[in-house]
Amino acid sequence: MDKEKALSNLGEEELVHKGNAYLKKGNLQLATLHFSVALAKNPKSAPACTGIGQVLLAKGEFSKARDAFAKGLEHDENYRPALLGMAMAYRKQGDPEAAVVHLEKARAAGPDDIEVLTEMAVTYDALGQELLAEPLYTRVIELKPHKASGYNNLGFNYLLQGRYSEAIATFSKAMSLETPSIMMRNNLAAAYVLNGQDENALRLFEKTVGKASAYNNIGYIHMTQGNWDLAEKAFIQALELNPTYYARAQDNLDRLYRYRMSMRSGE
């Protein structure tokens, strides 16, 4: 109560600004408090409604998040953060078509908004429209050429298109721009496997998950591609390295054998 009383002395704009700062840090409780006080001051505040929506989105409460974003859009139908939030909620609920509708409105309001461009590209990827996503990722890179995430996203798009050599080059560029995260290393490793360069993949996976798990990851990727012999070889290598602990490789190997049996019975 004392905190709310102290916050009541702040203006709406400052409350929203502080709420967004707490949201960025992952402190959802304080973010909610600041947005709620802002709404008490101005029930028609699109930024405050959007802030509440972002908190709910972070909690995985997608339907409630959409309700909050919708309230923000009632007060400002072109408020870009609310349109973006609504699109993200729809995509996370498995409705990318509805997400695109809101993203088109958001892009009309801000053609070079990097967050909107990225979310639109991710949504097109989810729809299986990788060729529509590619130029959006490319535009993000043009706007922020020194940001690794743009190259990482484009590299993943190349993976979806089956352009593995280009994916390798693009992931490598991302890793040259900042200290590589585990996700970056794993993305590049997956591209190497898909491009038939298992040894390069092994070195990368090994740095993040250890050698036994590295072989298991390689085997799993081969299995998803129908490369049964290569998958079997990798799973067996994982088990030889760690037969007692590494049960996951055995599970994958058993699954591989079941796949083969089902395919033969269907011939």
Side-chain angles (χ1 to χ4, degrees):
M1 294 299 293
D2 291 340
K3 183 70 173 176
E4 288 189 39
K5 187 175 180 180
L7 291 180
S8 67
N9 295 322
L10 300 178
E12 174 197 341
E13 186 175 342
E14 186 175 1
L15 285 163
V16 171
H17 176 75
K18 287 181 177 293
N20 284 324
Y22 281 119
L23 180 62
K24 189 174 182 179
K25 293 177 181 178
N27 192 328
L28 303 184
Q29 185 176 3
L30 279 179
T32 301
L33 178 58
H34 282 75
F35 293 136
S36 298
V37 175
L39 276 174
K41 285 179 172 288
N42 178 11
K44 295 184 178 182
S45 171
C49 290
T50 301
I52 293 292
Q54 292 291 354
V55 170
L56 293 166
L57 197 62
K59 291 180 176 180
E61 299 179 25
F62 304 131
S63 294
K64 291 181 180 179
R66 281 170 46 196
D67 290 341
F69 293 133
K71 287 182 180 178
L73 292 171
E74 285 177 8
H75 307 312
D76 184 351
E77 64 181 3
N78 294 315
Y79 188 58
R80 199 156 66 243
L83 290 167
L84 176 61
M86 185 73 87
M88 293 178 72
Y90 270 119
R91 177 175 62 80
K92 290 176 182 292
Q93 282 188 304
D95 192 352
E97 291 88 352
V100 169
V101 173
H102 289 83
L103 286 167
E104 287 174 346
K105 292 179 181 178
R107 195 178 181 194
D112 282 337
D113 184 310
I114 287 177
E115 289 185 301
V116 172
L117 290 170
T118 300
E119 180 62 25
M120 182 173 275
V122 169
T123 303
Y124 279 137
D125 278 344
L127 284 165
Q129 298 178 5
E130 295 88 1
L131 293 178
L132 291 179
E134 182 184 347
L136 298 174
Y137 288 129
T138 301
R139 181 56 181 158
V140 170
I141 290 173
E142 290 173 353
L143 293 168
K144 291 285 186 179
H146 302 299
K147 194 171 179 64
S149 60
Y151 290 95
N152 189 69
N153 289 335
L154 179 60
F156 194 79
N157 175 265
Y158 286 150
L159 280 187
L160 294 175
Q161 292 188 54
R163 294 159 61 181
Y164 304 134
S165 295
E166 290 168 273
I168 289 169
T170 308
F171 286 138
S172 297
K173 176 64 176 180
M175 290 175 63
S176 74
L177 293 173
E178 63 180 51
T179 302
S181 65
I182 292 175
M183 178 184 67
M184 287 182 189
R185 291 183 187 277
N186 289 347
N187 283 345
L188 179 56
Y192 275 131
V193 175
L194 293 168
N195 202 47
Q197 298 172 259
D198 286 9
E199 289 302 316
N200 289 339
L202 180 64
R203 285 193 289 271
L204 282 167
F205 276 137
E206 191 175 357
K207 288 179 181 178
T208 58
V209 296
K211 199 164 189 175
S213 185
Y215 276 116
N216 179 69
N217 289 350
I218 290 170
Y220 184 81
I221 294 170
H222 280 309
M223 186 168 65
T224 64
Q225 300 299 302
N227 300 325
W228 311 119
D229 292 339
L230 291 173
E232 181 180 19
K233 179 181 177 182
F235 290 143
I236 290 173
Q237 286 174 307
L239 286 167
E240 288 176 348
L241 286 166
N242 200 336
T244 304
Y245 171 75
Y246 211 65
R248 186 175 299 176
Q250 184 64 60
D251 290 342
N252 283 330
L253 189 59
D254 292 342
R255 187 184 308 173
L256 173 64
Y257 290 148
R258 288 196 298 272
Y259 284 162
R260 280 181 157 175
M261 290 288 290
S262 64
M263 287 184 67
R264 286 171 182 166
S265 63
E267 290 177 354

